[in-house]
Amino acid sequence: MGHRQRYLYGILMAGVGSMLLSGKAILVKLAFEHGAHAETLLALRMLMALP
């Protein structure tokens, strides 16, 4: 993999990561609207953060 290709791949991954991070907040707001409890959402957030 060339230097330029690796650079573009890194830019792509940074963009995808920022979109996923922003999308998490939207999903939490939607979950609260549908009656989810804060404890449930916090537990799911911790499960997603596991390596």
Side-chain angles (χ1 to χ4, degrees), residues 6-19:
R6 286 178 28 171
Y7 177 77
L8 292 175
Y9 183 71
I11 296 289
L12 176 68
M13 288 295 111
V16 169
S18 64
M19 285 188 279

Side-chain angles (χ1 to χ4, degrees), residues 11-47:
I11 296 289
L12 176 68
M13 288 295 111
V16 169
S18 64
M19 285 188 279
L20 289 174
L21 184 66
S22 300
K24 185 175 67 168
I26 295 169
L27 290 176
V28 168
K29 288 180 184 179
L30 289 173
F32 276 130
E33 286 181 9
H34 288 285
H37 298 287
E39 294 86 9
T40 305
L41 294 176
L42 187 60
L44 286 174
R45 181 178 171 193
M46 289 181 187
L47 284 173

